[in-house]
Amino acid sequence: MEAASEQVGRPALRGAFRLGLVLGAVACSSEPDLGPRSPVRLYVVNSLSSYITMYDVDSTGRFVAAGFLGGGSTGIYHPFGIARDASGTIAVASSGTGNVLKFAKDALGDVAPLATIEGPHTGLVRPLGVAADSSGRLYVVDGDQHSVSVFAAGATGDAVPVMKIAGAGAGLTQPVGIAIDRAGRLYVANDDRYHIEILAPTTSGRLASIGAIAGSNTLLVQPSGLAMDHLGRLYVANEGNNTITVYPAGAQGNVHPMAVIGGGKTGLDALIGVAVDEWGRLYAANSWFPGSITLYPAGASGNVSPIASLVGDSAGIEEPVAFTF
C-alpha cells in the first residue's frame, strides 16, 4: 500500500487496555435494571491512535475491554467510520489512507484485512462515514469528493461503485456521517449546511435526494455522526453545540426534535459520533483530547448526567469519533 510509509511511528495503544486488563466504567448514576441480557459488543473508532477498541457493555452500563484492532498490518490510519454487515464483517473507513478496509468478524490485534477497497476507480479520497445494508452493500461518504458511493457486497480492490451521488445539487456539500433506515433511505449529515440530506435509490439504479431535515426548528448545528434505532428514530451528534438531537421515524423538513440532550451535566465535549444499542441506550464520542465515551439511558433528554463513561488512553480511548455494534 502506498501510504504504508506514512504509518511508521503511529501511536501505539497505550495503558491498561494494551496489557489486556479488565476495565470498568466510571459510574455516574444507576442504570435501570434491564434484566438478564447478554452484554453488547461496542466497537470504538479512535482517530488519533488509529485503533479500533472493543468493549462488552453489560446491563448495568459497565464496560469491559474485549480487544482491539490496529497496528501496521491492519493498514488502519486515522480512521473515521466503521460498520458491520449482516455477516459480521467489519468495514473501516481509513481516512488517512483513502480506502475502506474489511476485516473478519472475529478479527483482533494487528491482522491484515480480508479485503481493501482502493484505487482510482473507487472515487475514494477521504472516506469518512460508512454504513452497510442487509444485503452487504457498503455506503461510503467521502468528505473531499462531497459524495456517497455504494459498493456491491464483496467489492474489493479498485472497484467501481454501483451507485454514486455527489455535489451541492444532491444536497452534499460537506458530508460526514451516514445512517440507513429499514426502508433503505440514506440519511447524510452535512457539517457545513446544518442539515441532514435524505437519499434513496431510484428505479433506474441511481441515488437521488428525496428531501432533508433542515431549518431553524431542527436545532441542527454542524451535524456529524448519525445513528438509527430499531424504531427508525434518528439520533444526530451536533458538533457545533455539543448536543444530541433525536427525530421520529420518517422525519423530514423543518421539524422539531423529539428530544435534545445537552448541557454541562452531560459531559458532551467536541462531540463527533453517536450510537444507540439494542436496549435504546445512547453512546457519545467526545473527541476533545484525550477523549471520552459517555453513556446515557434509553429515553434520555435534557441536561442529563451520563450513567457511565470511559476516559483517556488508559481505557483505550484516544479521540473517539465513531461506533458500531
Side-chain angles (χ1 to χ4, degrees):
M1 189 183 302
E2 281 188 5
S5 62
E6 299 174 11
Q7 300 170 26
V8 175
R10 76 169 58 167
L13 189 62
R14 299 188 292 269
F17 195 101
R18 187 184 180 197
L19 299 176
L21 301 179
V22 174
L23 298 172
V26 179
C28 301
S29 62
S30 297
E31 164 75 328
D33 183 9
L34 296 173
R37 301 186 184 185
S38 299
V40 295
R41 175 65 56 87
L42 177 71
Y43 296 75
V44 179
V45 176
N46 295 280
S47 182
L48 178 63
S49 66
S50 296
Y51 276 76
I52 311 300
T53 46
M54 307 167 195
Y55 308 87
D56 289 331
V57 189
D58 68 17
S59 61
T60 69
R62 185 170 185 262
F63 290 73
V64 178
F68 69 88
L69 183 60
S73 297
T74 67
I76 299 172
Y77 189 56
H78 292 315
F80 197 90
I82 189 169
R84 295 178 73 222
D85 66 19
S87 70
T89 299
I90 304 164
V92 178
S94 184
S95 182
T97 49
N99 53 24
V100 175
L101 307 163
K102 296 182 183 180
F103 297 90
K105 65 179 180 179
D106 55 355
L108 288 171
D110 188 4
V111 297
L114 294 173
T116 302
I117 301 175
E118 65 179 348
H121 293 108
T122 68
L124 298 178
V125 177
R126 187 167 62 96
L128 298 174
V130 61
D133 68 15
S134 58
S135 72
R137 291 187 298 186
L138 287 179
Y139 299 77
V140 183
V141 173
D142 194 289
D144 281 9
Q145 299 296 299
H146 310 293
S147 65
V148 175
S149 296
V150 185
F151 294 94
T156 186
D158 194 8
V160 177
V162 297
M163 288 186 283
K164 184 175 181 178
I165 190 169
L172 303 176
T173 55
Q174 194 170 317
V176 182
I178 186 170
I180 307 175
D181 69 13
R182 291 188 175 184
R185 292 181 292 255
L186 310 179
Y187 297 77
V188 183
N190 282 274
D191 183 79
D192 67 334
R193 293 186 64 183
Y194 292 29
H195 87 282
I196 310 295
E197 194 69 23
I198 306 172
L199 308 172
T202 66
T203 55
S204 62
R206 298 182 179 182
L207 284 174
S209 174
I210 60 170
I213 300 173
S216 59
N217 290 338
T218 66
L219 304 183
L220 293 171
V221 183
Q222 290 184 272
S224 180
L226 302 179
M228 189 81 64
D229 71 12
H230 70 286
L231 296 175
R233 292 176 296 203
L234 181 67
Y235 298 75
V236 181
N238 291 285
E239 183 181 0
N241 63 357
N242 289 315
T243 64
I244 298 171
T245 46
V246 187
Y247 304 89
Q252 190 168 324
N254 188 14
V255 296
H256 291 277
M258 57 188 295
V260 179
I261 300 170
K265 293 180 181 179
T266 65
L268 298 173
D269 190 11
L271 175 64
I272 298 291
V274 65
V276 57
D277 69 18
E278 63 190 53
W279 299 335
R281 298 179 302 185
L282 193 59
Y283 301 75
N286 305 289
S287 64
W288 189 260
F289 183 82
S292 68
I293 303 300
T294 44
L295 172 63
Y296 307 90
S301 186
N303 188 12
V304 59
S305 297
I307 59 174
S309 63
L310 288 178
V311 181
D313 59 22
S314 64
I317 301 299
E318 293 186 275
E319 294 189 10
V321 293
F323 307 101
T324 196
F325 295 100

